[in-house]
C-alpha cells in the first residue's frame, strides 16, 4: 500500500503540474478531471486506491489559495509564483496532507514523501527546500494546534 500511495502522489504531482502549466498558458481546454483520468489510466493495474489520488488533486486545488498563503511566510525569500512549478506543487501536496489528511497520513510520512518527490522531480536543492518549508509548517501549523496553541 505504501509504494502504491507513493505512485499515487507521483500521479497527483504530474496532474497538478500539467493543469497549472496549461491554465497559466491560457489553454482553455485544460480540464482537471480529464488530466487526472488520463494520468491514472497509465497505472490502471498498479494503483488500487485511485480515490486517494483524486482526493489529493481535488483537495490541493480546493485549498490552493489557503495553502499558498501558508507557504509564503515559511519561504519569505521566494514569492509563491517564483518557486519552481514542480516544487510549488510538491509543497502544496505535502502541506495539504499535513493539514487535511492527518487522520490518514502521519506528518512524518507526508514530509518524507514530499522530500522523495522533490529528489525525483525537483532540482538539486529542491529536497532541502521542501524539507525546510514542510518542517516549519509541521512545527507552526500542525504541532502547535495539537498542543492546544492556535498559531495558524
Amino acid at each position: 500500500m505504501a509504494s502504491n500511495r507513493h505512485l499515487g502522489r507521483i500521479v497527483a504531482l504530474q496532474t497538478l503540474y500539467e493543469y497549472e502549466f496549461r491554465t497559466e498558458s491560457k489553454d482553455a481546454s485544460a480540464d482537471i478531471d480529464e488530466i487526472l483520468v488520463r494520468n491514472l489510466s497509465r497505472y490502471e493495474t498498479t494503483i488500487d486506491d485511485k480515490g486517494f489520488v483524486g482526493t489529493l488533486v481535488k483537495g490541493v486545488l480546493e485549498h490552493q489559495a489557503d495553502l499558498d498563503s501558508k507557504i509564503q511566510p515559511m519561504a519569505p525569500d521566494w514569492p509563491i509564483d517564483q518557486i519552481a512549478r514542480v516544487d510549488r506543487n510538491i509543497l502544496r501536496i505535502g502541506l495539504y496532507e499535513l493539514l487535511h489528511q492527518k487522520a490518514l497520513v502521519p506528518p512524518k510520512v507526508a514530509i518524507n514523501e514530499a522530500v522523495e518527490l522533490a529528489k525525483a522531480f525537483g532540482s538539486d536543492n529542491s529536497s532541502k527546500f521542501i524539507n525546510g518549508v514542510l518542517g516549519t509548517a509541521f512545527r507552526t501549523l500542525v504541532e502547535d494546534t495539537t498542543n492546544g496553541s492556535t498559531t495558524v
Side-chain angles (χ1 to χ4, degrees):
M1 178 76 112
S3 63
N4 193 312
R5 283 203 166 172
H6 179 72
L7 181 57
R9 287 180 182 92
I10 291 171
V11 172
L13 175 61
Q14 291 171 333
T15 301
L16 291 165
Y17 182 94
E18 178 183 341
Y19 182 71
E20 183 176 28
F21 181 85
R22 289 175 61 185
T23 55
E24 287 181 0
S25 300
K26 309 292 187 237
D27 179 352
S29 69
D31 178 347
I32 191 64
D33 294 320
E34 178 272 322
I35 297 167
L36 179 60
V37 168
R38 178 175 26 83
N39 287 340
L40 279 171
S41 71
R42 295 179 182 152
Y43 302 98
E44 189 68 35
T45 59
T46 313
I47 298 177
D48 298 325
D49 192 358
K50 292 169 185 58
F52 172 75
V53 181
T55 297
L56 278 181
V57 170
K58 300 295 175 118
V60 166
L61 289 177
E62 178 183 338
H63 296 279
Q64 183 172 318
D66 182 56
L67 296 171
D68 288 353
S69 73
K70 286 179 169 55
I71 290 167
Q72 189 56 71
M74 291 181 266
D77 294 338
W78 292 96
I80 198 77
D81 62 336
Q82 290 183 10
I83 297 173
R85 183 176 286 117
V86 70
D87 294 350
R88 186 169 53 235
N89 281 293
I90 292 169
L91 283 170
R92 288 171 179 157
I93 291 169
L95 188 56
Y96 174 77
E97 287 194 283
L98 283 174
L99 298 177
H100 301 283
Q101 299 289 299
K102 293 181 240 184
L104 299 173
V105 180
K108 290 183 183 194
V109 171
I111 294 170
N112 185 56
E113 285 291 322
V115 168
E116 291 303 315
L117 289 173
K119 286 178 182 177
F121 300 102
S123 67
D124 291 342
N125 296 318
S126 292
S127 61
K128 292 176 188 171
F129 177 67
I130 300 293
N131 190 50
V133 172
L134 292 179
T136 299
F138 174 71
R139 286 188 303 280
T140 61
L141 301 175
V142 177
E143 211 170 43
D144 284 354
T145 59
T146 58
N147 292 333
S149 174
T150 53
T151 314
V152 177

